[in-house]
Amino acid sequence: MQFFMLVNTQQYRTIWPTETIATEPKTISIIDQTKLPHAFEIRQIGSLAQMITAIKTMQVRGAPLIGAAAAYGIALAMLEDDSDASLHLAVNALKSSRPTAVNLQWAVSRMLACLQSRPNEARHLTAWHEAANIAEEDVAQNKAIAQHGLVLIEKLYQNRKNQNRPLNILTHCNAGWLATVDFGTALAPIYAAHNAGLDVHVWVDETRPRNQGAALTAWELGSHGVPHTVITDNAGGHLMQQGLVDMVIVGADRVTSTGDVCNKIGTYLKALAAFDNHVPFYAAVPSPTIDWTIKDGLIEIEIEQRHGDEVAYLQGLALDGSVQNVRLIPIESAVANPAFDVTPARLVTGIITEQGVFAPHALKRLEIIA
Amino acid sequence: MQFFMLVNTQQYRTIWPTETIATEPKTISIIDQTKLPHAFEIRQIGSLAQMITAIKTMQVRGAPLIGAAAAYGIALAMLEDDSDASLHLAVNALKSSRPTAVNLQWAVSRMLACLQSRPNEARHLTAWHEAANIAEEDVAQNKAIAQHGLVLIEKLYQNRKNQNRPLNILTHCNAGWLATVDFGTALAPIYAAHNAGLDVHVWVDETRPRNQGAALTAWELGSHGVPHTVITDNAGGHLMQQGLVDMVIVGADRVTSTGDVCNKIGTYLKALAAFDNHVPFYAAVPSPTIDWTIKDGLIEIEIEQRHGDEVAYLQGLALDGSVQNVRLIPIESAVANPAFDVTPARLVTGIITEQGVFAPHALKRLEIIA
């Protein structure tokens, strides 16, 4: 499968060690996702502190990508100071930078396990190597997700009632290339279907407050030539009632061992509507997104509360071509901004993983495989 | 009950005949709701064409208010030309200006019935009189809705589990003063509860694409001193899962004789979440919002498709204090903008009307009363 991230005819991933003349990189390059779709900017991340800022401000976001970013953050920390104290400081700081996505916890724990028994002077090279492994594994997992998801799409495509119209797939937030190192999770099967010549059309939820759907998913799909239509987060239920949605695919920030899906705020509402209208609802996740330690997502997952200004202000392209922040609500009004919600397993048709598609209650079988 | 629409210590309604030295008004004054919350501007509407533009561009919006606005539009048309041809032209043009809200159809039909048998030269004065009647009846109905809704709120308030926290009421879009001539529908019981000293707090859905919640409901509630918090449209389901919503009250643009509720896009998703979490879900509507001619809202109600630019662009206050439109999505992306959805009666706890509160299946009893 080709790499998808063509930007101005150049291939990109979301994160990569910056090339240097010496053999060892000194910085990590990232695409600054807070600037899209209005500007395509690459940032150099040269320290652990800069990486934590990039994660917190969502210059890098998406559960798989922040896993890889955190791993590279550890490598940058080891380059600065390869002591045990530095390692544990980096581990703790990264783990608390965003509480909900489990990949971040998973990647940091894996880096710690790999590094703590190594001699100090070997740590920085080992860290670069292990972070690159995590990134490559993400790419491989997403390729496998694309293939497993494609089988589902092909089946729905062949069985759709009206063969003269496209298969309509609704997605929420961004779980595409930009949310991963490459390929994406929820969007990977859609790209595979489009590449295979299937007539697919994507309903792109805007995804307030940060508009990752309108900004990132629409930009990705447009760059790849996949037909899509942006809608408000309010519209999906109505479209399902009208028979205009054949399938929902979302990513996830954490999936419980019982199949509860924690994803961007608003996912639960779409799952309810899908269930009410007999539309299959899938989450596409690489296995590091599954948290085998918890059973009840509603009780056990800490939901990140982000700043109200993400709701009160919105960034867009002004008439003069500048990117501006505008305020939407009266200055006196309070604002709340829970970033994620939990969709109970009873509303989920299946979990698409690199090992295959599992019914939520059968997810435990994956624990043995993965 | 006091009039609520205090703006800078002056009492306002949303629409009124402009005072003149002569006995007969020549124009209608409206609050331009496309400018709120950033600017409070009064517009003079001097012709049928101007009124239709005001309705289409949503300078006036909200089912009860556009009913009154359409009635005044007929009066303006009769002032210009009191012929049968002019009357029928006005009726048809107004009826097609916004297809979903039934109050507009109702008000225009009532004006036609009242005027067609009158001699031409008497029509303009009769029309002013009948339009004023429609406006006053709306005010009276909303006062009654406030009282009936207050009884429901008081009951939930007394029975709430944690007596130390406020009663949390979620609302979608704007069904307050600004959506009516005065008092509001969904917000009328909330104002009544606040005035009665009950500790109520309102979750205000932003309500994309036009942000009537963030812009209008937040502004209204803030002006009246009602505690409220603005949230994205995505957040309500999560808040209900967490037990943070005790009641949902929305307005409606049309209610079927069987209790299906057609309201702002996204209402259906909140109703699903309320049902899933055992949160009572009410629609507050004056009886002209009920369309006795239809039974199945999903099949029979025409859903207005508005311009995609309402989704692609958003208006807000820039840092320099100017009101700016910014673009949110890539210029190449398609956009869809269905303006309303239908909540099936099975998800509705009750319909709050000026005649009392009815279970959806019992709504037909109101047809006999009203």
Side-chain angles (χ1 to χ4, degrees):
Chain A
M1 194 188 299
Q2 67 175 100
F3 272 23
F4 287 123
M5 302 199 57
L6 282 182
V7 182
N8 302 327
T9 75
Q10 255 201 287
Q11 280 187 355
Y12 281 92
R13 286 182 168 185
T14 53
I15 193 164
W16 64 97
T18 313
E19 281 180 68
T20 57
I21 300 165
T23 51
E24 189 181 2
K26 293 276 179 285
T27 67
I28 295 296
S29 299
I30 59 162
I31 297 171
D32 182 351
Q33 300 193 24
T34 64
K35 302 297 179 186
L36 289 171
H38 311 300
F40 180 78
E41 293 181 10
I42 309 294
R43 298 235 171 283
Q44 299 303 318
I45 305 294
S47 67
L48 171 67
Q50 286 178 2
M51 188 62 89
I52 287 170
T53 301
I55 292 170
K56 281 188 176 173
T57 62
M58 297 176 68
Q59 291 179 340
V60 288
R61 26 68 55 201
L65 173 55
I66 61 180
Y72 280 119
I74 298 278
L76 289 168
M78 292 301 92
L79 199 62
E80 294 173 72
D81 175 354
D82 55 23
S83 70
D84 280 9
S86 163
L87 179 58
H88 287 282
L89 191 85
V91 163
N92 293 333
L94 282 162
K95 279 195 174 180
S96 63
S97 61
R98 294 204 63 198
T100 304
V102 75
N103 309 57
L104 190 150
Q105 319 293 325
W106 166 86
V108 168
S109 297
R110 176 166 155 179
M111 293 296 286
L112 177 63
C114 171
L115 295 173
Q116 61 190 356
S117 60
R118 298 282 295 158
N120 289 18
E121 64 278 12
R123 281 179 174 167
H124 61 111
L125 281 176
T126 303
W128 285 123
H129 189 71
E130 191 65 2
N133 284 345
I134 286 173
E136 291 304 329
E137 287 169 25
D138 179 57
V139 175
Q141 284 161 345
N142 297 339
K143 278 191 190 182
I145 285 171
Q147 294 308 321
H148 293 301
L150 176 59
V151 176
L152 292 176
I153 294 177
E154 278 173 335
K155 202 169 162 188
L156 288 169
Y157 190 76
Q158 278 148 17
N159 295 334
R160 73 198 192 281
K161 278 182 201 148
N162 182 346
Q163 296 280 325
N164 295 320
R165 70 164 173 82
L167 189 82
N168 289 306
I169 304 174
L170 184 142
T171 192
H172 190 69
C173 198
N174 174 264
W177 330 320
L178 291 168
T180 64
V181 178
D182 210 341
F183 293 108
T185 54
L187 296 193
I190 296 173
Y191 288 127
H194 176 80
N195 288 354
L198 273 58
D199 183 13
V200 291
H201 166 263
V202 184
W203 294 111
V204 178
D205 273 2
E206 176 181 48
T207 319
R208 289 280 293 145
R210 292 182 66 102
N211 292 41
Q212 292 97 332
L216 306 179
T217 298
W219 183 80
E220 272 197 25
L221 292 172
S223 302
H224 198 70
V226 181
H228 64 282
T229 303
V230 178
I231 51 175
T232 63
D233 301 309
N234 285 323
H238 168 70
L239 296 175
M240 292 185 209
Q241 286 179 312
Q242 299 293 319
L244 295 172
V245 181
D246 299 306
M247 182 185 202
V248 178
I249 314 181
V250 298
D253 295 77
R254 193 183 303 210
V255 172
T256 66
S257 60
T258 49
D260 292 344
V261 173
C262 180
N263 188 43
K264 178 64 50 189
I265 190 82
T267 303
Y268 166 55
L269 295 172
K270 293 302 139 60
L272 283 168
F275 192 84
D276 199 43
N277 292 283
H278 313 292
V279 174
F281 179 96
Y282 291 96
V285 295
S287 53
T289 305
I290 303 166
D291 187 341
W292 301 110
T293 68
I294 59 176
K295 286 181 178 174
D296 187 329
L298 277 167
I299 292 170
E300 296 177 77
I301 297 176
E302 180 188 352
I303 299 296
E304 181 181 0
Q305 304 291 325
R306 294 185 58 88
H307 199 287
D309 280 356
E310 292 188 346
V311 178
Y313 292 86
L314 206 140
Q315 177 178 283
L317 196 67
L319 276 181
D320 66 5
S322 65
V323 174
Q324 296 228 5
N325 274 300
V326 295
R327 187 173 176 94
L328 307 176
I329 70 167
I331 201 86
E332 302 82 7
S333 293
V335 182
N337 185 17
F340 303 95
D341 63 24
V342 174
T343 296
R346 65 185 152 87
L347 303 176
V348 178
T349 310
I351 314 280
I352 309 171
T353 77
E354 76 277 10
Q355 301 288 345
V357 183
F358 295 83
H361 63 82
L363 200 55
K364 278 194 166 290
R365 278 195 281 142
L366 174 62
E367 191 175 9
I368 301 156
I369 306 168
Chain B
M1 194 188 301
Q2 68 176 100
F3 273 22
F4 287 123
M5 302 197 60
L6 281 184
V7 182
N8 302 326
T9 74
Q10 252 201 289
Q11 280 187 355
Y12 281 93
R13 287 182 169 186
T14 52
I15 192 163
W16 64 95
T18 314
E19 281 181 68
T20 57
I21 300 164
T23 51
E24 189 180 3
K26 293 278 179 283
T27 68
I28 295 295
S29 298
I30 60 162
I31 298 171
D32 182 352
Q33 301 193 24
T34 64
K35 302 298 178 186
L36 289 170
H38 310 299
F40 180 78
E41 294 181 11
I42 309 294
R43 299 235 170 284
Q44 299 303 318
I45 305 294
S47 67
L48 171 67
Q50 287 178 2
M51 188 61 89
I52 288 171
T53 301
I55 292 170
K56 282 188 175 173
T57 62
M58 297 176 66
Q59 292 180 340
V60 288
R61 30 63 57 197
L65 174 53
I66 60 180
Y72 280 120
I74 298 276
L76 289 169
M78 292 301 92
L79 201 61
E80 294 172 75
D81 174 355
D82 54 24
S83 68
D84 280 10
S86 165
L87 178 58
H88 287 282
L89 191 87
V91 163
N92 292 332
L94 283 162
K95 280 195 174 180
S96 64
S97 62
R98 293 204 65 198
T100 305
V102 74
N103 309 58
L104 189 151
Q105 319 294 326
W106 167 86
V108 168
S109 296
R110 175 166 155 178
M111 292 296 284
L112 176 63
C114 171
L115 295 174
Q116 61 190 356
S117 60
R118 298 281 296 159
N120 289 17
E121 64 277 11
R123 280 179 175 166
H124 61 112
L125 281 176
T126 304
W128 286 123
H129 187 72
E130 190 66 1
N133 284 345
I134 286 173
E136 290 304 328
E137 287 170 25
D138 179 58
V139 175
Q141 283 161 346
N142 296 338
K143 278 192 191 182
I145 285 171
Q147 294 308 321
H148 293 301
L150 175 60
V151 175
L152 292 176
I153 293 176
E154 278 173 335
K155 202 170 163 188
L156 288 168
Y157 189 77
Q158 278 148 17
N159 295 335
R160 72 196 192 283
K161 278 181 200 150
N162 182 345
Q163 297 280 325
N164 295 320
R165 70 163 173 82
L167 189 82
N168 289 306
I169 304 174
L170 184 141
T171 192
H172 190 68
C173 197
N174 173 264
W177 330 320
L178 291 168
T180 64
V181 177
D182 211 341
F183 293 108
T185 55
L187 296 192
I190 296 172
Y191 288 125
H194 177 80
N195 288 355
L198 273 59
D199 183 13
V200 290
H201 165 263
V202 184
W203 295 111
V204 178
D205 273 2
E206 175 182 48
T207 320
R208 288 281 292 146
R210 293 183 65 103
N211 291 39
Q212 291 98 332
L216 306 179
T217 299
W219 182 80
E220 269 197 27
L221 292 172
S223 302
H224 198 70
V226 180
H228 65 282
T229 304
V230 178
I231 51 175
T232 63
D233 301 309
N234 285 323
H238 168 71
L239 295 174
M240 291 185 210
Q241 286 178 313
Q242 300 293 319
L244 295 172
V245 181
D246 299 305
M247 181 185 202
V248 179
I249 314 181
V250 298
D253 295 77
R254 194 185 301 211
V255 172
T256 67
S257 60
T258 51
D260 292 344
V261 173
C262 180
N263 188 41
K264 180 62 50 189
I265 190 81
T267 302
Y268 166 55
L269 295 171
K270 293 302 140 58
L272 283 168
F275 192 83
D276 199 44
N277 293 284
H278 313 290
V279 174
F281 180 95
Y282 290 95
V285 295
S287 53
T289 303
I290 302 166
D291 186 342
W292 300 109
T293 68
I294 59 176
K295 286 181 177 174
D296 187 330
L298 277 168
I299 293 172
E300 297 177 75
I301 297 177
E302 180 189 353
I303 300 295
E304 180 180 3
Q305 305 292 324
R306 293 186 60 87
H307 199 288
D309 280 357
E310 291 187 349
V311 177
Y313 292 86
L314 205 140
Q315 176 178 285
L317 198 66
L319 276 181
D320 65 6
S322 65
V323 174
Q324 295 227 3
N325 274 299
V326 295
R327 187 174 177 93
L328 308 177
I329 69 168
I331 200 87
E332 303 82 6
S333 293
V335 182
N337 185 17
F340 304 94
D341 63 23
V342 174
T343 297
R346 64 184 152 87
L347 303 175
V348 178
T349 310
I351 314 279
I352 309 170
T353 76
E354 76 277 8
Q355 301 288 346
V357 182
F358 295 83
H361 63 80
L363 200 55
K364 278 191 166 293
R365 277 195 281 142
L366 174 60
E367 191 175 8
I368 301 156
I369 306 167

